[in-house]
Amino acid sequence: MASKSKAYFYLVLACFFWGATPLCGRILKDSLSPMLITGARFTLVSLILFAFLFFKGGVKSIKVSLHDFKLLILMGVLGIFLHNTLLFEGLKYTTASNAALIESIGPAVTSVCAFLFIGERLSKYGWLGILISLIGAVIIVSKGSLKVITQFEFNYGELLVVTCEILWSVYVVISYRLSPNINALSVTAYTALVGAFLCFVFGCFGNLLIVYKIEFIDIVSFLVLSLFAGIVAFASWNFAISKVGASKGGIFVYLIPLFGAALGFVVLGETLIKEEIIGAMFVILGMIVSVRAKLTNKVNSK
């Protein structure tokens, strides 16, 4: 029982640090350019992970097959380079709370991508859950205004965050094609390295690696992004999932947008209008319906 309690604590811890990502990005928006935030963050992450893998198992532990290497490059482009750069760009124009709530559509978008690209089947309740989540996302980005929807007057930053979630969902679906025995740390290390490399290449040529100012809060935010959201959260999540299983652990992703919105409110003093709260409730309800539908399918198929 104590072991399970410890695992649940680590799941909450991981979700808390992942929920802090929009907050940190919002703080850093006036200090570093999006390209530099992403490049520096994932350079640090990849160096730490490769060092850990090397000291743990030598060169053999960081080798991957050519098949996996090609997929890891694609994942690094979509899930690290584009996803994070666009996220931090979007946080210039929308609040951390809004970004966190919008990011909660991720599981629903991933289910759609899995259906389109790898033929994963969903029950009618699974599709119902996705529809509910997407309705919630539309309510959030439109602030409940029909005019915003009909005249396409959405907030630019919020559209970027939606794009980010689509890119991340494609990243997740591509990962299903990796060899089953590939080390999860290796996946993160390689994709982080690819993403960081592209940031510095495009950043140098486009003069997009900019430091506006550096203050103590910026250093703290960067370390939270890199060490805690990038490594501690990942390690905590994998440890916990190995103890309680993916099905039970996966339910904890509901906490990420809630932590994100709460941190934006507490730390930055952001406010949420009632339409955004209603939209968030739709998104979370849709996630619950989708997950319960998947779990039911698994039980019925045995």
Side-chain angles (χ1 to χ4, degrees):
M1 186 66 180
S3 176
K4 287 287 181 67
S5 299
K6 185 177 180 181
Y8 290 134
F9 167 78
Y10 280 117
L11 285 171
V12 173
L13 186 68
C15 292
F16 175 80
F17 285 131
W18 282 330
T21 297
L23 167 68
C24 295
R26 186 71 178 168
I27 292 172
L28 289 169
K29 71 181 179 65
D30 296 322
S31 302
L32 305 173
S33 64
M35 200 77 76
L36 183 56
I37 297 172
T38 304
R41 175 193 184 190
F42 285 102
T43 295
L44 183 58
V45 169
S46 64
L47 288 176
I48 292 173
L49 290 179
F50 276 122
F52 175 80
L53 288 167
F54 179 77
F55 285 114
K56 184 180 180 182
V59 176
K60 183 170 61 176
S61 67
I62 61 177
K63 285 185 176 180
V64 296
S65 67
L66 180 60
H67 165 78
D68 287 338
F69 185 66
K70 292 177 181 177
L71 292 177
L72 291 172
I73 291 176
L74 182 58
M75 290 167 65
V77 173
L78 299 177
I80 305 299
F81 173 56
L82 291 176
H83 169 79
N84 286 273
T85 302
L86 293 179
L87 172 62
F88 295 128
E89 179 69 22
L91 284 166
K92 290 182 178 181
Y93 306 97
T94 189
T95 63
S97 300
N98 267 359
L101 294 178
I102 294 169
E103 283 186 309
S104 63
I105 67 171
V109 178
T110 299
S111 295
V112 173
C113 290
F115 171 76
L116 293 175
F117 297 122
I118 61 176
E120 183 177 278
R121 298 180 62 184
L122 289 174
S123 69
K124 60 182 179 181
Y125 293 108
W127 285 112
L128 175 62
I130 290 172
L131 178 61
I132 294 172
S133 288
L134 294 180
I135 290 172
V138 172
I139 293 173
I140 293 171
V141 299
S142 69
K143 308 296 184 291
S145 170
L146 190 61
K147 179 183 176 184
V148 170
I149 299 172
T150 56
Q151 299 185 16
F152 206 76
E153 296 177 348
F154 297 103
N155 178 287
Y156 173 68
E158 292 171 359
L159 290 179
L160 287 180
V161 177
V162 171
T163 303
C164 289
E165 286 314 296
I166 295 173
L167 291 170
W168 182 256
S169 296
V170 176
Y171 168 98
V172 172
V173 172
I174 293 172
S175 71
Y176 296 163
R177 299 294 189 184
L178 292 168
S179 302
N181 60 340
I182 190 170
N183 189 304
L185 291 181
S186 296
V187 173
T188 305
Y190 275 104
T191 55
L193 181 63
V194 170
F197 173 76
L198 290 174
C199 282
F200 286 116
V201 169
F202 283 93
C204 286
F205 281 104
N207 194 29
L208 298 172
L209 303 174
I210 305 170
V211 178
Y212 304 110
K213 64 179 178 67
I214 293 291
E215 297 177 354
F216 178 72
I217 188 64
D218 301 315
I219 296 172
V220 172
S221 298
F222 178 77
L223 291 178
V224 171
L225 271 179
S226 304
L227 301 181
F228 292 94
I231 295 177
V232 174
F234 180 82
S236 299
W237 181 268
N238 281 335
F239 167 78
I241 290 297
S242 69
K243 300 297 181 182
V244 304
S247 296
K248 288 185 178 179
I251 297 173
F252 280 74
V253 299
Y254 304 151
L255 295 176
I256 298 174
L258 301 181
F259 278 135
L263 287 169
F265 173 78
V266 173
V267 179
L268 299 179
E270 296 175 350
T271 58
L272 292 171
I273 63 175
K274 67 178 185 300
E275 288 82 4
E276 292 169 331
I277 296 173
I278 292 171
M281 293 172 64
F282 268 87
V283 170
I284 294 171
L285 174 62
M287 292 167 65
I288 294 172
V289 172
S290 293
V291 170
R292 288 183 64 85
K294 286 187 175 183
L295 294 177
T296 301
N297 283 345
K298 289 180 180 178
V299 171
N300 289 342
S301 63
K302 286 183 179 179

